[in-house]
Structure formats: C-alpha cells, structure tokens
Amino acid sequence: GENVEQHPSTLSVQEGDSAVIKCTYSDSASNYFPWYKQELGKRPQLIIDIRSNVGEKKDQRIAVTLNKTAKHFSLHITETQPEDSAVYFCAACPTGGGNKLTFGTGTQLKVEL
Amino acid sequence: DSGVTQTPKHLITATGQRVTLRCSPRSGDLSVYWYQQSLDQGLQFLIQYYNGEERAKGNILERFSAQQFPDLHSELNLSSLELGDSALYFCASSAPSGRGSGNTIYFGEGSWLTVV
C-alpha cells in the first residue's frame, strides 16, 4: 500500500517568512495529492490539492509543487501570518484506490510574532 | 461548515462498553470514510463505504465495525472499548467518482471519544 512520509514534524517561523513542508510517497500510481490544515480540536480542511498531470499550483500565499519522478511534493506558504499556525497534513491517493487517502504524519507549524 | 454531520460530538464511556458513532455525508456524496486520530497522532484510515458497500479497509480493529445505510448515512460501531480507543473519530465524504480517485474529501467536525 501507499506510504507517505512528511517532514518536518514541527516548524517554527517568524511572521512574514516562508514555510516549506515536504512529503514523499511510495506508490507511483498515486495521482492526487491534497493538503489539509487542522487547527487544534477541529476538522481537517482542504487548503490546496494537485493532480499528477500538473507540476505546480498556486492559490494566493499557498503553493504546492509535485515531482513525480522523485515521488515528492511540497507545500509552500509565503508571507506567513499567525493564523497560519496549525497542523498541516499531506496525503496521497492512488489511481483506482477508490479515493482512499493515505496521510502523512503532520507538521505543526507555528508562526511567531 | 463542510456539510458532513457527525453525532455525538463528545462521548465518555467506560472500558468494555460499546458505542455507535453516526455520520451523515454531504448531500449527493456517495462515499463515506472513517478516520481515527489519537492524541498527537496523524489521521489513520479505518474504512470506506461507497453507496452502501465496503470499498476499502484500513487498520480497523476487529472490535470495530461500520456500515452505510440506504439513505447513505453511516455508523461506526466500537465495542469492548479499551483506554487506547480514546480518540477523535472523523467521518468524511466525497462526491461520486466514476472510477479511480481524486475527489475532494470533506471532513465532519469529529466525535471525541473518551474511554475511562
């Protein structure tokens, strides 16, 4: 089955700096890679996703890049703000996998003033 | 609001007991997923149903079972509860998929289960 590794487990940045979270996946058949943000005690919320036919996708301060050859994808947050502080999860979904997501272990992002 | 409804929001029960968690997917969604999130843990996939049938199974214990009913709501049954079962249980749903994958999964607010 699919295995997703996520790094770092914790990340602390100064407000206004950029944050980068990286994930690798094992199943070359994976073709859908969403990123979820989870605030303490709340539900995970989709913030951006990318499909395997695209190398990069951007939405305002958030961008995701995908390298299929290396089987890794990254989340980039620019101009970080205190409200970006949360746990971020990457996930991968294989073709024909029935939409079953395998999640990474999460990154606790803290944006300091 | 994701449109996925879960009840109860909080539940405290004793070891050895049985509980049922309920989930109503977003209108029109046929797939329902259950995930377990323990303290300081990631999201562990338990099971998926699609239009009433089991589609995929993850690390779901034999003490746990689930089903999806004709009206598409789902229930997760947890029995012979142990202290380690204390966790946040999420239900999620996604739109019909012709085949394959890649549909956005929307999570409910979760059910906090505390086993004492």
Side-chain angles (χ1 to χ4, degrees):
Chain A
E2 175 66 275
N3 182 51
V4 178
E5 295 189 357
Q6 183 172 347
H7 300 280
S9 57
T10 60
L11 179 59
S12 185
V13 300
Q14 294 293 315
E15 183 181 7
D17 288 349
S18 295
V20 180
I21 302 170
K22 299 181 179 181
C23 289
T24 60
Y25 61 99
S26 61
D27 189 346
S28 57
S30 287
N31 66 348
Y32 175 61
F33 307 92
W35 285 87
Y36 285 82
K37 175 184 179 182
Q38 185 180 27
E39 297 178 1
L40 188 62
K42 298 195 174 180
R43 63 183 175 90
Q45 290 188 274
L46 179 74
I47 55 171
I48 195 167
D49 58 13
I50 191 167
R51 299 178 192 275
S52 59
N53 58 346
V54 175
E56 183 174 359
K57 184 177 179 180
K58 191 173 181 180
D59 182 5
Q60 298 182 331
R61 296 186 297 108
I62 295 174
V64 57
T65 59
L66 171 64
N67 183 326
K68 281 197 68 181
T69 302
K71 288 192 281 190
H72 67 70
F73 55 113
S74 300
L75 177 71
H76 305 253
I77 305 174
T78 58
E79 301 173 17
T80 53
Q81 301 168 3
E83 51 265 38
D84 294 330
S85 296
V87 178
Y88 292 80
F89 291 97
C90 63
C93 184
T95 303
N99 222 37
K100 173 195 163 188
L101 292 178
T102 298
F103 283 87
T105 49
T107 296
Q108 174 75 61
L109 173 64
K110 183 177 181 181
V111 180
E112 299 177 335
L113 297 173
Chain B
D1 183 8
S2 66
V4 179
T5 304
Q6 288 188 248
T7 57
K9 286 185 170 48
H10 300 274
L11 188 58
I12 301 174
T13 190
T15 55
Q17 295 299 304
R18 172 190 171 96
V19 299
T20 297
L21 309 180
R22 183 188 168 99
C23 170
S24 293
R26 296 185 323 148
S27 177
D29 285 358
L30 299 183
S31 281
V32 169
Y33 314 77
W34 287 97
Y35 284 84
Q36 179 193 55
Q37 186 174 41
S38 303
L39 193 63
D40 294 332
Q41 295 288 317
L43 291 154
Q44 300 297 318
F45 171 73
L46 296 179
I47 198 163
Q48 177 197 357
Y49 282 84
Y50 181 83
N51 202 21
E53 294 188 2
E54 183 181 307
R55 172 66 69 89
K57 211 166 187 176
N59 298 322
I60 187 167
L61 300 173
E62 285 191 9
R63 300 183 285 108
F64 296 179
S65 65
Q67 54 183 329
Q68 186 179 27
F69 295 86
D71 66 352
L72 301 177
H73 91 271
S74 178
E75 293 181 356
L76 178 67
N77 300 297
L78 315 174
S79 62
S80 302
L81 286 167
E82 302 175 358
L83 296 178
D85 297 327
S86 295
L88 184 55
Y89 291 85
F90 285 107
C91 172
S93 72
S94 65
S97 174
R99 58 181 181 173
S101 60
N103 288 336
T104 300
I105 291 180
Y106 296 91
F107 284 83
E109 296 295 334
S111 292
W112 283 95
L113 173 65
T114 302
V115 182
V116 297

